[in-house]
Amino acid sequence: MTWTLIIGMATITYINRYFFFARSIAYRPGPHAQRLLSYSSYAVLTAIWAPIVFEFDGIHEVDLAGLDYLIATSLAAALSFLRINSLIVVLASTAVFFLIRFV
Amino acid sequence: MTNSDRSSLTPKLAWLAFVDMLPLCLAVLPWGVLTGALAVQAGFSVAQSQALSLLVFAGAAQLSAITFFAAGTAYGAIFASTFVISARHLLYSLTFRQHIAQESWLTRVALAFLLTDEMFAVSEAHTKRSGAFSVRYALVSGLFFYIAWNVATAIGIALATLGQNADSLGLDSLGLEFAIVATFIAMTFGELRRFPVLVAIVISGSVAVFSKPFFSDSYIIFAAVSGMIAAYFCDRSDVSTGVEVKPEQVL
């Protein structure tokens, strides 16, 4: 029975991944849909990382995950805004993060 | 953005995919270990615990299902939660659709299997950087992440089988998830000067933070779609040519 759960979950996640890869789906994004989709990576990646740094308690307070997060996140944001190479941004801000956290 | 790079896989491209994915593989290690260990503790067999990562391959959905399974929740409710959590992959497959229309059935099947938040992120960054979507780059980066996730799960299963309690490992206090924050910022903030991108980031980030306590399964897709719609209405360029109509409004 547990295998039913695993296979069922695998099928559901796979359908969500494959859905718009199927040729039988007739929908083709037009120019307006393509414009909307061109912002999908900015929107979804921000929606994933923002709640790691800022935690809302559901009533009235937004808490920071910590000062280490705030400083290292600000550094990553500033360096990226200046269009510094992504690898350097990740290495520098992660190094600063762990220095503050463990030193 | 409809360009597709259909050239064959070179060692240089494979190396690039590997290097780009490396921080995200490291960031996901503690969650993979935790997922493996918790699955064993929740009562999945060793084979079943590994099968979750091998077949379902979706961290958030797996962790949620393991918690429900341990509590004896009905499978129907677990399936519903799995669908809602993984619904954002519909957005990824729709975004990739224009690039992969010419690919073979087998390539599309493999690409869908390896489609994750992380693979979508590095592939979109690669497309913007190189000017064309590369299906080879996407497959290699996705495969690398798949291996990392499953190795981490196997370590977690081994630790739990040896009697280690997942909570005592202290994995969530390491702060490795900061690599996710750094990588995703590095991939998006370079375009912050474009006003619609600024709007997409501010709106989706705030909606995610404030809706997470209320929609713990669906806040990512909810926030992402809000940000995309807001950015769409702030985009003043001509929809057919992409040429800015009022450049003075762009930051």
Side-chain angles (χ1 to χ4, degrees), chain B residues 3 6 23 29 51 80 94 169 213:
Chain B
N3 293 337
R6 306 200 63 221
L29 275 179
L94 183 56
L169 298 171

Side-chain angles (χ1 to χ4, degrees), chain B residues 6 21 34 60 63 69 75 86 90 104 127-128 172 192 194 208 235:
Chain B
R6 306 200 63 221
M21 193 54 112
L34 201 64
L63 276 170
F69 181 79
Y75 284 3
S86 69
L90 287 167
S104 70
T127 304
K128 291 196 175 87
D172 28 1
L192 209 57
R194 287 169 54 206
D235 193 333

